[in-house]
């Protein structure tokens, strides 16, 4: 009698804790057994000699997010998830962004419509809170948190998104009371504005000046201020897309004081530098993102932080704008000033292979750390664990069989996003996903897509364990209950 739907045999299974040999039995989309010589299955997959790891969870990516007039993100929920799946990601958590003057619930409804029938892998949503009105804080956020939207991003910069400190504190207080996680984009907006004016006045408007207008200190100050507000409110926060050595230092300092400060970084801060923005002509626009890529010293600080536990998640911040396109990087022409270049780089497919190759194979992190950063911690931070983020009996069978020694040179042609370039063109890597399973179904096999649009399911996030209120150690909370 057939016992399993699928058995992945002879796997070298890697989790955030262990590396062990086992067969993985899958029934009904769930891992139902781990053991030697599992019984018969309708389908056998031989993984002999291959690393079999939990599917990646990308908890920072932007898909089909409306932008300023005339600018369009290259990927929607179909192309974005196809690209993610080819790179070994089986769950994404993109953003449902509140539009100023409108509600957060309206944003959630809108993004569900945008996603309908498209994703090939599972997805949840973070919220972006850009207009924290009384109604949003009192009614909408608590209601949405209860319905499975348990994290929200706030910005300290960008005209249409940024919150002032008083607003940030109000959002943090809601997160504390309701058990949600706030993600913070930490850059000092006024410093950026002033520096930008100086560069503009001097006619220094090439893409490279984008990086100079957002120096380390801008991120360091925003990071410190966010940490301070989180300390005052007594709530954990997660600093997103951390790039600079000085911001890393602030986070390490806060963690050393026992504050619950979490942090995310991204591939662009490991393998790109600000010098990439100096590429000839307008080519530097391909690397314009915020915070900007830094220098070798910051890269090293980020690597150290990944290896030593300062960082908890490793995401793509996939924010793809086509280069040679009037709706993308060239919206305002091929010689537009840096202030007009849409911010963001693509990377949803290359995230895991870059970290595996540059991190694990280069000996900078071990395989358990790779799994922890790319799957287990993201699931824990955002309330998806243990359904997602590990290979264990009872977990969804979101599994990647890696061809861990495959020699790959990244070209945009081999990628599946809808962007016309990759910032990693020509980069040589070791390792690429061979077979990707989402809830037990093979969605990618040897570079071939086997999934249907709409096969991915929406997943509700629980309140993450990391945000559970703890006893106050200082005075009574200055938070209205
Ligand atoms: O430049 C970036 N990172 N664009 C995406 C939006 C954001 O702030 O994450
Ligand atoms: Zn951001
Ligand atoms: Zn982002």
């Amino acid at each position: 009698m057939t016992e399993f739907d699928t058995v992945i045999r002879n796997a070298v299974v890697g989790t955030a804790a262990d590396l062990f040999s086992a067969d993985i039995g899958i029934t009904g989309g769930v891992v139902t057994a781990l053991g030697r010589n599992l019984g018969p299955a309708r389908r056998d997959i031989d993984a002999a000699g291959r690393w079999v790891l939990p599917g990646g969870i990308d908890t920072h990516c932007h898909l089909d997010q409306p932008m300023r007039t005339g600018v369009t993100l290259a990927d929607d929920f179909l192309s974005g998830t196809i690209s993610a799946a080819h790179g070994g990601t089986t769950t994404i958590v993109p953003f449902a962004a509140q539009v100023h003057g409108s509600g957060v619930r309206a944003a959630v409804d809108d993004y569900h419509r945008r996603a309908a029938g498209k994703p090939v892998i599972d997805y949840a949503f973070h919220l972006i809170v850009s207009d924290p009105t009384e109604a949003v804080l009192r009614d909408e956020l608590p209601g949405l948190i209860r319905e499975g939207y348990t994290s929200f991003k706030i910005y300290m910069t960008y005209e249409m998104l940024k919150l002032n400190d008083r607003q940030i504190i109000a959002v943090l207080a809601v997160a504390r009371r309701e058990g949600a996680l706030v993600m913070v984009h930490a850059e000092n907006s006024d410093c950026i504005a002033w520096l930008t004016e100086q560069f503009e006045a001097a006619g220094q408007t090439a893409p490279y000046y984008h990086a100079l207008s957002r120096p380390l200190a801008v991120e360091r100050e925003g990071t410190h201020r966010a940490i301070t507000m989180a300390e005052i409110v007594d709530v954990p926060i997660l600093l997103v897309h951390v790039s600079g050595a000085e911001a890393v230092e602030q986070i390490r300092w806060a963690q050393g004081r026992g504050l619950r400060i979490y942090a995310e970084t991204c591939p662009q801060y490991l393998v790109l530098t600000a010098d990439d923005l100096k590429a000839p002509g307008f080519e530097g626009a391909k690397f314009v993102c915020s915070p900007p890529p830094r220098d070798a010293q910051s890269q090293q600080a980020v690597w150290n932080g990944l290896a030593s536990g300062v960082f908890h998640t490793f995401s793509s911040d996939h924010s793809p704008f086509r280069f040679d396109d009037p709706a993308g990087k060239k919206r305002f022409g091929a010689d537009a000033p840096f202030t007009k270049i849409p911010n963001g780089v693509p990377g949803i497919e290359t995230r895991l292979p870059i970290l595996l190759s540059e991190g694990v194979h280069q000996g900078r992190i071990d395989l358990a750390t790779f799994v922890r950063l790319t799957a287990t911690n993201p699931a824990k931070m955002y309330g998806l664990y243990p359904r997602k983020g590990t290979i264990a009996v009872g977990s969804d069978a979101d599994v990647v069989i890696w061809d861990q020694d495959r020699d790959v040179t990244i070209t945009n042609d081999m990628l599946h996003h809808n962007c016309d370039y990759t910032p990693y063109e020509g980069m040589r890597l070791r390792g690429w996903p061979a077979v990707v399973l989402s809830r037990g179904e093979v969605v990618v096999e040897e570079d071939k897509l086997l999934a249907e649009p709409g096969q991915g399911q929406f997943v509700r996030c629980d309140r993450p364990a990391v945000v559970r209120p703890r006893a106050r150690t200082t005075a009574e909370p200055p938070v209205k209950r």
Side-chain angles (χ1 to χ4, degrees):
M1 204 187 97
T2 302
E3 194 182 346
F4 297 102
D5 294 343
T6 303
V7 172
I8 303 172
R9 299 194 184 276
N10 311 307
V12 180
V13 181
T15 68
D18 300 304
L19 193 63
F20 55 93
S21 300
D23 296 344
I24 303 170
I26 299 168
T27 303
V30 169
V31 175
T32 50
L34 286 169
R36 303 275 174 137
N37 305 313
L38 292 185
R42 268 186 276 279
R43 174 178 184 160
D44 281 318
I45 302 175
D46 185 15
R50 287 185 162 179
W51 291 347
V52 181
L53 310 180
I57 304 179
D58 192 344
T59 51
H60 190 153
C61 51
H62 303 265
L63 299 178
D64 201 7
Q65 191 175 317
M67 296 285 145
R68 63 182 131 146
T69 319
V71 177
T72 314
L73 273 180
D75 284 311
D76 67 4
F77 285 83
L78 181 58
S79 61
T81 57
I82 289 174
S83 186
H86 278 87
T89 291
T90 52
T91 305
I92 55 162
V93 191
F95 296 94
Q98 180 192 15
V99 176
H100 224 271
S102 171
V104 186
R105 187 171 286 284
V108 169
D109 294 344
D110 180 31
Y111 281 79
H112 274 291
R113 274 192 297 273
R114 290 169 186 273
K118 290 186 177 161
V120 301
I121 54 172
D122 290 353
Y123 63 105
F125 284 117
H126 309 291
L127 312 172
I128 288 176
V129 180
S130 63
D131 193 6
T133 60
E134 190 60 31
V136 165
L137 295 171
R138 194 193 48 223
D139 304 325
E140 291 204 287
L141 287 177
L144 287 164
I145 292 164
R146 279 191 282 273
E147 290 167 35
Y149 308 88
T150 59
S151 47
F152 25 96
K153 183 177 176 189
I154 56 174
Y155 287 78
M156 290 176 149
T157 187
Y158 292 138
E159 234 22 73
M160 294 309 293
L161 294 168
K162 70 178 180 192
L163 306 188
N164 62 36
D165 289 356
R166 186 66 191 78
Q167 291 172 313
I168 292 174
I169 290 166
V171 172
L172 293 178
V174 171
R176 180 177 195 273
R177 196 181 60 223
E178 304 292 334
L181 181 65
V182 178
M183 310 157 76
V184 184
H185 178 133
E187 288 185 296
N188 181 311
S189 195
D190 287 331
C191 287
I192 295 168
W194 185 80
L195 285 167
T196 300
E197 274 172 28
Q198 309 306 302
F199 288 123
E200 281 176 324
Q204 293 171 320
T205 60
Y208 177 58
Y209 291 97
H210 170 79
L212 298 191
S213 73
R214 309 175 98 101
L216 293 181
V218 157
E219 187 191 27
R220 182 195 70 214
E221 190 282 330
T223 302
H224 183 85
R225 188 156 34 103
I227 290 168
T228 302
M229 288 186 275
E231 179 179 5
I232 298 291
V233 177
D234 188 23
V235 68
I237 55 168
L238 182 135
L239 292 145
V240 292
H241 46 47
V242 175
S243 64
E246 295 185 5
V248 176
E249 211 173 25
Q250 292 297 311
I251 294 162
R252 200 187 285 279
W253 166 80
Q255 292 169 350
R257 296 180 67 224
L259 300 175
R260 289 175 296 169
I261 300 299
Y262 300 96
E264 167 205 88
T265 191
C266 316
Q268 47 273 37
Y269 305 119
L270 296 177
V271 299
L272 302 178
T273 68
D275 283 349
D276 288 306
L277 280 79
K278 289 181 180 162
F282 197 59
E283 289 284 308
K286 291 179 174 175
F287 307 94
V288 166
C289 60
S290 296
R294 305 293 184 180
D295 60 9
Q297 196 200 334
S298 281
Q299 288 179 339
Q300 190 55 51
V302 174
W303 277 119
N304 293 347
L306 287 169
S308 64
V310 171
F311 288 104
H312 302 83
T313 61
F314 185 78
S315 310
S316 68
D317 194 7
H318 181 71
S319 187
F321 297 99
R322 291 172 65 84
F323 179 65
D324 223 347
D325 194 317
K329 295 279 185 184
K330 294 186 180 168
R331 165 73 179 90
F332 294 95
D335 54 359
F338 70 85
T339 50
K340 302 277 189 198
I341 300 170
N343 285 201
V345 294
I348 205 165
E349 190 166 345
T350 43
R351 171 182 75 117
L352 296 176
I354 287 175
L355 190 65
L356 192 87
S357 184
E358 292 295 307
V360 179
H361 283 311
Q362 296 291 333
R364 292 170 167 128
I365 57 171
D366 61 20
L367 195 58
T369 302
F370 173 88
V371 173
R372 194 174 311 124
L373 288 164
T374 59
T376 312
N377 279 353
K380 288 182 176 174
M381 296 300 304
Y382 298 107
L384 295 169
Y385 189 84
R387 176 172 170 191
K388 305 285 189 191
T390 190
I391 297 177
V393 171
S395 295
D396 282 357
D398 295 347
V399 174
V400 179
I401 303 172
W402 283 82
D403 186 351
Q404 68 266 21
D405 291 314
R406 180 169 158 194
D407 190 355
V408 175
T409 301
I410 299 178
T411 63
N412 198 53
D413 283 351
M414 65 179 275
L415 301 178
H416 300 80
H417 59 195
N418 191 32
C419 203
D420 59 352
Y421 81 97
T422 166
Y424 311 112
E425 186 76 30
M427 189 177 172
R428 203 155 160 208
L429 299 181
R430 183 170 155 208
W432 200 264
V435 183
V436 180
L437 292 92
S438 164
R439 279 179 286 100
E441 299 294 327
V442 175
V443 290
V444 173
E445 187 165 19
E446 307 296 348
D447 299 326
K448 201 163 168 296
L449 181 73
L450 300 177
E452 293 297 325
Q455 192 174 310
Q457 292 179 356
F458 173 68
V459 269
R460 285 165 201 272
C461 296
D462 292 330
R463 286 182 175 85
V466 293
V467 298
R468 291 209 185 107
R470 60 177 181 179
R472 267 210 155 230
T473 49
T474 54
E476 268 303 287
V479 177
K480 273 198 229 143
R481 294 198 166 257

